[in-house]
Amino acid sequence: MSISTAITGRRVLTSPFVIQLLIIMFFVEFVKGALMVSILPVYMGTVLGLSAYAIGWALALQYIGDNAFRSPLGWIIDRVGYRTVMLTGVLLTFAAVVIVAVTDDMPWIICACLLIGVGTSPLWPCVITGATAVAGSEASGTIMSVVYMAWLTGVGAGPIVINFFISHTYESAFKILIVLMVISTLVTIFLPGRKQSRAIEGKVEPSAKRQGQHDRPMLERIRTYLAKVSSSMHASKLLYPAMFMQNFSLGLLVPVLTLYARTVLHLKPEQYSMYMLAGGAFTVLGLIPVGKAVDKFGTRWFLHFGFPAAAISLTLLGYTRDLLLVLPIVALVGLSYALIIPSWNALIAEAIPKEERGAVWGFFLTIEGAGMVLGSILSGKMWDTYGPHSPFLFSGVVLITLFVLHLFITRKSAVMVR
């Protein structure tokens, strides 16, 4: 690793702005994971008496709200700064926690699910835009590793920790979540405003001539804006379906993992937790070393190994019934995603123009979110129609296809560099 890259990495990891973003990411994802995984499904089923179908649609509103607002919020970040956008989202999430804590009225609970999605939608555009702006191209792999570590530990710790507080009553759990949201709100208040945000991203204030352009009709301004973003993009057109497919492969697995563990492998809850922790540990522990290596050597070879390894291990997992083999397979899955996550996101970050970083990140995250939504919808249908192995097999096929797309993307990038 070069001296300049090492210095940049240390500067990023000690930046107060980046630390603020990571704290908010961890606490909000902790709260979201606790609500969506451990509290709301059980609460709606046992307390409100909702059917599984109704619970599914209520929770789907969270994904819809999150994905629908990501792209426009990225555009707004570029214009009003981080503090206003993130504070609005944190307060909406806070309101959702309060609603769930004080009412058992079904319409309000459903409203809270939607608020969670809308409230957390600024999280990824803000965190990724701000963190990559500070990191620059020299430390993009390192910072993406740190961001995903904050996300994985938050969303994983939330359900595990909160389970210890909901055995008899939800009161203690809600108190914990409210305290965490208070802390998140206080941290958010000290995020940079509009002028500071533009300074962080190396942008200049718009001139009077440029400000006068706001008098033009909205549709004309949108067309001009999209044309500007498109002309400044450094991405292969193949990157768009690749982003969709990467999250589509994950969406195929998320709804059926627990079902597969409990009904096919017949794992006890504590055994399932052990296997999940094993896979997660390999991913989390590998993120920082891989991220630093990506900054030094580039993304290509990590993805060359990561995509096929993930495809093979997920396919094997879908067909394996021997518990002695499941653990090493799960470990290989975790290691594969430790290779994929920092390198894939660093590759995406390289394609994003500095001038419209927030808007483009929001647009990219919307594409990825659409893959997650569609994968989740098809997963259960495939399970019912073709058997428990089918989502794992199809996810492996998607990852192999993604590997082939990546070969063309990196080849085109190399030709452009020459």
Side-chain angles (χ1 to χ4, degrees):
M1 184 182 297
S2 68
I3 295 176
S4 62
T5 300
I7 293 174
T8 301
R10 288 195 296 269
R11 176 173 61 82
V12 170
L13 297 179
T14 58
S15 165
F17 174 51
V18 172
I19 292 173
Q20 284 176 284
L21 292 175
L22 295 177
I23 290 173
I24 297 168
M25 166 75 83
F26 175 81
F27 282 147
V28 172
E29 289 293 351
F30 184 102
V31 171
K32 181 179 177 179
L35 281 174
M36 304 307 295
V37 177
S38 292
I39 294 179
L40 280 176
V42 178
Y43 185 74
M44 288 190 288
T46 59
V47 178
L48 301 182
L50 298 180
S51 66
Y53 181 75
I55 293 171
W57 269 107
L59 298 182
L61 288 175
Q62 181 268 321
Y63 295 105
I64 294 171
D66 187 357
N67 202 46
F69 284 88
R70 280 185 176 183
S71 190
L73 281 170
W75 182 83
I76 294 171
I77 293 168
D78 289 329
R79 276 128 189 95
V80 303
Y82 295 96
R83 182 169 59 221
T84 301
V85 175
M86 189 73 95
L87 185 58
T88 302
V90 168
L91 290 176
L92 288 175
T93 306
F94 200 164
V97 175
V98 173
I99 289 172
V100 177
V102 302
T103 183
D104 58 1
D105 190 10
M106 185 177 68
W108 279 107
I109 298 295
I110 293 175
C111 176
C113 291
L114 182 60
L115 282 178
I116 292 171
V118 177
T120 56
S121 60
L123 192 62
W124 277 96
C126 280
V127 173
I128 293 184
T129 302
T132 54
V134 174
S137 59
E138 291 184 339
S140 58
T142 299
I143 195 59
M144 293 310 300
S145 299
V146 174
V147 168
Y148 270 84
M149 182 176 290
W151 170 65
L152 283 171
T153 52
V155 77
I160 294 173
V161 172
I162 216 68
N163 277 335
F164 291 102
F165 298 92
I166 59 175
S167 56
H168 301 293
T169 176
Y170 290 92
E171 184 177 351
S172 298
F174 286 131
K175 287 180 179 179
I176 293 172
L177 299 185
I178 288 173
V179 169
L180 294 181
M181 290 310 303
V182 169
I183 297 173
S184 300
T185 303
L186 293 175
V187 175
T188 306
I189 290 173
F190 293 97
L191 286 176
R194 180 176 179 273
K195 289 185 178 180
Q196 292 173 303
S197 298
R198 297 186 71 83
I200 288 172
E201 297 184 20
K203 299 176 182 177
V204 298
E205 285 294 306
S207 62
K209 178 180 178 181
R210 188 174 168 188
Q211 289 176 344
Q213 294 176 356
H214 292 295
D215 297 330
R216 294 180 299 166
M218 177 60 70
L219 287 178
E220 183 182 347
R221 286 163 53 192
I222 292 174
R223 283 196 297 268
T224 303
Y225 167 74
L226 292 176
K228 177 184 175 183
V229 171
S230 177
S231 64
S232 60
M233 290 284 289
H234 313 300
S236 164
K237 295 297 187 293
L238 295 175
L239 189 61
Y240 304 124
M243 286 187 291
F244 177 89
M245 293 170 65
Q246 200 270 333
N247 273 41
F248 179 67
S249 66
L250 289 176
L252 287 167
L253 302 177
V254 171
V256 300
L257 275 176
T258 302
L259 187 63
Y260 178 78
R262 299 298 299 275
T263 63
V264 177
L265 298 179
H266 304 290
L267 294 177
K268 298 177 181 178
E270 58 270 20
Q271 290 177 307
Y272 180 47
S273 297
M274 182 186 69
Y275 284 110
M276 294 297 291
L277 286 172
F282 272 90
T283 301
V284 171
L285 294 176
L287 286 176
I288 297 296
V290 172
K292 291 182 177 181
V294 166
D295 293 332
K296 182 177 181 180
F297 301 109
T299 64
R300 179 180 302 181
W301 286 105
F302 295 98
L303 293 175
H304 282 357
F305 285 105
F307 285 138
I312 293 170
S313 56
L314 287 174
T315 302
L316 288 175
L317 183 60
Y319 283 94
T320 300
R321 302 295 181 264
D322 187 345
L323 295 184
L324 293 177
L325 295 176
V326 171
L327 190 58
I329 292 173
V330 168
L332 180 58
V333 173
L335 181 60
S336 301
Y337 276 95
L339 295 173
I340 292 172
I341 288 172
S343 48
W344 179 250
N345 285 281
L347 176 67
I348 295 174
E350 292 173 0
I352 294 179
K354 181 179 71 174
E355 294 77 11
E356 302 293 346
R357 186 181 280 113
V360 178
W361 263 122
F363 175 62
F364 281 4
L365 289 168
T366 299
I367 295 175
E368 293 182 343
M372 180 68 76
V373 171
L374 183 59
S376 299
I377 292 172
L378 293 179
S379 180
K381 185 67 174 176
M382 293 181 65
W383 176 289
D384 293 336
T385 305
Y386 302 107
H389 68 280
S390 58
F392 296 89
L393 175 61
F394 193 41
S395 180
V397 172
V398 172
L399 285 168
I400 287 295
T401 306
L402 182 55
F403 168 69
V404 174
L405 279 180
H406 171 254
L407 294 178
F408 285 99
I409 292 170
T410 53
R411 180 181 178 184
K412 182 175 181 180
S413 298
V415 171
M416 290 175 65
V417 170
R418 295 193 191 100

